[in-house]
Structure formats: structure tokens, C-alpha cells
Amino acid sequence: MPGRHSALTRREAIAGAGASLACSGARAATGSTLLVTHPAALAHDMGPSHVERPERLRAILHALDDARFADLLRAEAPLAPHEALLRAHSSEHLSRLAKSAPSDGYARIGPDVAMNGATHEAALRAAGGAIAAVDAVMRGDVKNAFVAMRPPGHHATRETPMGFCFLNNAAVAARHARTAHQASRVAIVDFDVHHGNGMQDIFWSDRNVLYASTHQMPLYPGTGAVNETGAHDTIVNAPLVKGDGGAQFREALASRILPRLDAFSPDMIILCAGFDAHLHDPLSGLRLVADDFREVTLRVMEIAARRCSGRIVSLLEGGYRPEDLARSVAAHVGALTEA
Ligand code: ZN
């Protein structure tokens, strides 16, 4: 398969996430977009009928193998270091995950969360991929990055796996940017159709991290009301209602999310990129289409260009109809490559 061969060649050139892309012999990085993934993310499986299934990521990777994405730089997601995970999770939570992994079959560890033999590695690499993306973007090796990994992360609280999520990848990434790269302020924009209760839990009292979310409400997990603003007014919730489409989504962005993002003047922007607000998604009642995901990406990129040299790390969250998910991700990543 020619596309896969050339991707592997680039991946080898990049030589892992710890390496400096600028020194790897890869092409000049300014303006480039990094795609981070790993085969472990395809082996994580929560059961034969589960909606958060490997086919989601398979469809995405197939779409990103298209010739229009030939210029993406590619890297494999490393395992997240334990100390980086401890910035967002308790040691009890981390050891419970390590101990719960079954050698065979599935272990149900909470509502909507089950592990198979590959889950623990996949979760560590999903968080590690987010860290590697932060490193590449903060070093200036690439302009921005998309991390195509699963399991997703934005429902995982400091203590609790839930909602298909085990480790809060975006929270780990934001804290890593603050600690390892001295970012003064990090903003997280979450356009998954579900509210990121884990993000809100972890950053409720953190004045240096802005968390801004559009989501359907009422819907799982039940949080995300406008009056939930955090201890330092750094939580911005812009709920939408069932039946809302692109016009309402764009209005919520323009009037509530983007002005706060701009005013916060972050050093880096992390996207919780969930695509389950799509018209055909089985888990929600919003009516977005692929072009709406392109639009939110471009609007956030404008602010990133003005405030933080375009630095964006985008992390895959939800999206449960693989063909629409793949088209939506292609629209999103296509926009990122236009930086
Ligand atoms: Zn979701």
C-alpha cells in the first residue's frame, strides 16, 4: 500500500516523539502539521457491540492516508511518563488502572468503561501522544498537531474513569505545557457534543487554564451549565440544545467562546476535538456537518496566530459514526494544514 509505506518512511525519519523534528532531517517544519498515532489505539476494545470501537480510528487513519495529507509529518505516540500523569490524576487512580487490566477478555471498571489487554497501553499512549504533540509544538518543530488516538479523555476526572475515558489526555497535555515548557496560560476549547466534566473537575480552581466548551445540554454527563464558571472565572460553558445546527454552533463560538479565548491570550491552545455533534451521530441530537468542524478550527487558528504563534494541539475525543467521523476529521486536519 503506497500511502502506508510513505507514512512509515516519514515516521521513521521523525524517529519517535522524543526526537527533535527540526534535527531529524524532516522538511522545514514552519507551517507543518504533525499527526500522532499508534497501533495500540486500534487494539483497545471495550466489547463487541461498544460504540467506542477501533473502527472509528481505522476510518480516520484511512482518510488521512489520502494524497491530500501527504505532507503531514507523522510520529508514533510514546508512553506517558508517570510523573506527567500525576499532574492531572491521583496515584490511586493510576495504580487502579494498571491493576485492572485483564490478561484475557474484558474487565468492567465503571459505568461505560471496560478494559481489554491492550487498554492500559493505549491509554498511556493516548496521553503520551498528547505530551509528544505539546513538545513538538512548543519547541517550534511544527506549527500544530493532531493526535489520532483512543481512548478519549475529557470525561476522566482526577479520580474516576468514565464515559469511555480513562486518562484525561488534554488535562495531562495542558499541565505538561505549563510545567515542561513554562507556558503561562493554556486554553482548552472543547467542541465534543458532550460536556468535558473531567476537564472542568481538574481545572475548576486553576486560574492559568481556560476551559471553554460547546456541548448539547441536557445530555451525558449532565454538567456544563452556563453558571458553572470555576473558582476564577476560567470555565466557559456554552450549551446548545437538541436540534441546534451550524448556525447556533457558530453563534455560540462567536459570541461566547472565541472572545474569551482571545482575551485569555494563551501561550498554547488545546482542542478537545470531538465530532459527535455531527448530524448523523448516534449519540447526540445536534446537527453539525463536516464544514462546521472546519469552521471552528479556522476561527481558533485565527486567535492562535494572533496570540501564540499558531500553537494548537488537537486531541481526538468522540464521534461514533465512522464514515462521518472520518470526513469530519479530514475537514478539521485539512484546516490545520492551512496554517
Ligand atoms: Zn462525546
Side-chain angles (χ1 to χ4, degrees), residues 154-155 164 192-195 220 274-277 283 317-320:
H154 74 153
H155 294 306
F164 318 158
D192 189 279
V193 79
H194 303 97
H195 181 245
Y220 180 90
F275 301 89
D276 42 8
L283 296 195
E317 298 282 355
Y320 299 99

Side-chain angles (χ1 to χ4, degrees), residues 2 38 47 59 103 117-118 124 152 201 208 210 215 260 293 300:
H38 192 281
S103 53
L124 292 177
D201 169 71
N208 300 308
L210 180 80
H215 45 273
R260 291 293 303 275
F293 298 113
V300 170

Side-chain angles (χ1 to χ4, degrees), residues 35-269:
L35 171 65
V36 182
T37 188
H38 192 281
L42 294 168
H44 160 57
D45 176 21
M46 296 199 284
S49 59
H50 205 292
V51 72
E52 204 290 88
R53 58 194 197 273
E55 286 73 14
R56 300 177 55 236
L57 183 57
R58 219 167 270 134
I60 289 170
L61 296 177
H62 180 71
L64 296 180
D65 253 350
D66 187 87
R68 77 181 264 225
F69 296 109
D71 284 343
L72 286 177
L73 296 168
R74 295 169 190 248
E76 289 206 330
L79 298 167
H82 192 69
E83 63 270 22
L85 299 176
L86 283 171
R87 297 185 192 121
H89 295 286
S90 69
S91 58
E92 292 76 19
H93 174 74
L94 300 178
S95 53
R96 182 173 163 229
L97 281 187
K99 284 184 202 148
S100 300
S103 53
D104 189 35
Y106 301 100
R108 195 152 300 281
I109 63 165
D112 309 315
V113 272
M115 301 178 77
N116 74 345
T119 301
H120 191 232
E121 181 187 348
L124 292 177
R125 290 192 187 278
I131 290 170
V134 167
D135 287 340
V137 168
M138 290 302 285
R139 281 195 307 249
D141 295 344
V142 294
K143 177 78 88 179
N144 54 41
F146 179 67
V147 182
M149 288 293 288
R150 50 187 290 281
H154 74 153
H155 294 306
T157 70
R158 187 176 147 73
E159 306 281 353
T160 314
M162 59 182 281
F164 318 158
C165 301
F166 299 81
L167 297 171
N168 197 311
N169 308 317
V172 170
R175 289 261 159 88
H176 178 74
R178 294 257 306 123
T179 306
H181 297 282
Q182 293 77 49
S184 298
R185 290 173 306 283
V186 177
I188 300 163
V189 177
D190 184 340
F191 55 83
D192 189 279
V193 79
H194 303 97
H195 181 245
N197 61 297
M199 312 300 312
Q200 183 164 296
D201 169 71
I202 292 166
F203 293 114
W204 184 262
S205 301
D206 189 337
R207 64 174 76 243
N208 300 308
V209 176
L210 180 80
Y211 174 67
S213 173
T214 59
H215 45 273
Q216 182 182 330
M217 197 172 184
L219 190 68
Y220 180 90
T223 50
V226 171
N227 64 1
E228 296 165 19
T229 56
H232 305 290
D233 198 27
T234 51
I235 307 277
V236 183
N237 286 312
L240 301 168
V241 298
K242 184 177 180 181
D244 278 353
Q248 292 80 10
F249 176 66
R250 294 176 191 216
E251 205 285 322
L253 287 170
S255 67
R256 300 166 67 181
I257 303 284
L258 298 177
R260 291 293 303 275
L261 179 64
D262 201 14
F264 192 68
S265 191
D267 297 307
M268 155 170 272
I269 299 171

Side-chain angles (χ1 to χ4, degrees), residues 189 258 261 269 271 296-304 312:
V189 177
L258 298 177
L261 179 64
I269 299 171
L271 295 177
V296 61
T297 311
L298 292 173
R299 296 289 81 79
V300 170
M301 286 168 67
E302 284 174 359
I303 293 174
I312 295 176

